[in-house]
Amino acid sequence: MTDLAFHILLFLFAAAFLAGFIDSIAGGGGMITIPAMLIAGIPPLGTLGTNKLQSLFGSGSASIAYARHGHVNLKEQLPMALMSAAGSVLGALIATVVPADALKGVLPFLLIAIAVYFGCKPNIGDVEKHRRMSAFLFTLTFVPLIGLYDGIFGPGTGSFFMLGFVSLAGYGILKATAHTKFLNFGSNLGAFIVFVLYGAVLWKVGLIMGAGQFLGAQVGSRYAMAKGARIIKPLLVVVSIALAIRLLADPMHPLRIWLGV
């Protein structure tokens, strides 16, 4: 599977660049890279493992860009990233033995709820609001919970982290975006380690796509810092709805099977 034709590798590189751009702003890059790898003929387990490898480059690139411009202190956020990674390791281990059908069934509706929340709340901007949960409690509970979800299933992880930072930690939307990327890096790393142990990573494909992710995330993060809430908020809404639609469009989605459509 590593000997893919040049034009297929170029297609995957381009898909990863676009995913890195979108993911660095609003999350949801997996809805581009995962279908792209499946179209290229990569088996599902290899797709999941390789997606975590290439996602490391995108989330890492965006984290560095935001940190360089003072929107996040990576050293101070390291405990959160480690908790995210720990949750993701546990989630990935669970994913090897427990079907994700329950998550697949409810996820589109959670994503639509996130889109409605950000779309209909007019006072969400770049200014920080009142914190509803202490940093310690947020790190100990919410962060590993979303990391766990990323390890088990994954789509929409960035949107869930964003929701937590805005609604619980009281962050402005640009600061929330910047902090989300390093936690995404942690959850990607945790699940990636598990997939490596299971031999489910295609290194050549992952590194080529990783280069695309790195470049796309650099462009996207700079664009987000220039535009702030004006671009982040609408793109987050669009990405959440698009991801929900893509999940519901899957003929094997539990809801469609239950309804017989």
Side-chain angles (χ1 to χ4, degrees), residues 148-171:
L148 178 78
Y149 163 75
D150 194 21
I152 295 175
F153 195 50
T157 297
S159 299
F160 291 127
F161 274 135
M162 283 280 289
L163 179 65
F165 276 121
V166 170
S167 62
L168 299 178
Y171 286 11

Side-chain angles (χ1 to χ4, degrees), residues 106-130:
V106 73
L107 180 59
F109 304 101
L110 293 177
L111 288 167
I112 291 171
I114 288 174
V116 170
Y117 176 83
F118 282 101
C120 297
K121 200 169 175 61
N123 61 343
I124 294 179
D126 291 326
V127 179
E128 292 190 52
K129 303 294 182 180
H130 176 68

Side-chain angles (χ1 to χ4, degrees), residues 24-261:
S24 65
I25 300 173
M31 73 176 178
I32 297 172
T33 54
I34 289 177
M37 282 188 275
L38 292 173
I39 290 170
I42 299 173
L45 186 60
T47 291
L48 293 176
T50 306
N51 186 61
K52 289 303 179 187
L53 169 59
Q54 60 95 36
S55 293
L56 283 171
F57 288 84
S59 55
S61 173
S63 297
I64 292 169
Y66 285 120
R68 281 179 176 172
H69 288 80
H71 294 290
V72 59
N73 185 317
L74 299 184
K75 185 176 180 181
E76 289 180 0
Q77 206 194 9
L78 184 59
M80 280 192 187
L82 291 174
M83 290 301 291
S84 180
S88 183
V89 167
L90 180 58
L93 291 172
I94 292 172
T96 63
V97 294
V98 177
D101 282 353
L103 281 173
K104 288 175 67 177
V106 73
L107 180 59
F109 304 101
L110 293 177
L111 288 167
I112 291 171
I114 288 174
V116 170
Y117 176 83
F118 282 101
C120 297
K121 200 169 175 61
N123 61 343
I124 294 179
D126 291 326
V127 179
E128 292 190 52
K129 303 294 182 180
H130 176 68
R131 174 184 287 275
R132 293 182 174 86
M133 181 181 288
S134 70
F136 177 76
L137 188 60
F138 186 81
T139 302
L140 206 61
T141 58
F142 184 82
V143 171
L145 180 63
I146 303 303
L148 178 78
Y149 163 75
D150 194 21
I152 295 175
F153 195 50
T157 297
S159 299
F160 291 127
F161 274 135
M162 283 280 289
L163 179 65
F165 276 121
V166 170
S167 62
L168 299 178
Y171 286 11
I173 201 163
L174 178 58
K175 184 177 179 180
T177 301
H179 282 69
T180 289
K181 295 307 117 185
F182 198 39
L183 298 194
N184 255 152
F185 180 83
S187 63
N188 285 331
L189 181 61
F192 169 69
I193 291 171
V194 175
F195 283 121
V196 167
L197 295 176
Y198 275 83
V201 176
L202 304 181
W203 291 93
K204 179 180 177 181
V205 174
L207 292 174
I208 288 173
M209 293 184 73
Q213 274 268 3
F214 186 91
L215 295 173
Q218 286 290 308
V219 175
S221 56
R222 281 165 170 73
Y223 189 66
M225 286 183 280
K227 300 296 183 180
R230 287 178 297 166
I231 183 64
I232 298 172
K233 181 179 172 180
L235 190 56
L236 179 62
V237 172
V238 170
V239 167
S240 296
I241 292 175
L243 184 52
I245 291 172
R246 189 182 75 79
L247 290 167
L248 288 171
D250 183 0
M252 297 307 294
H253 188 274
L255 181 62
R256 294 189 61 176
I257 293 175
W258 181 66
L259 293 175
V261 296

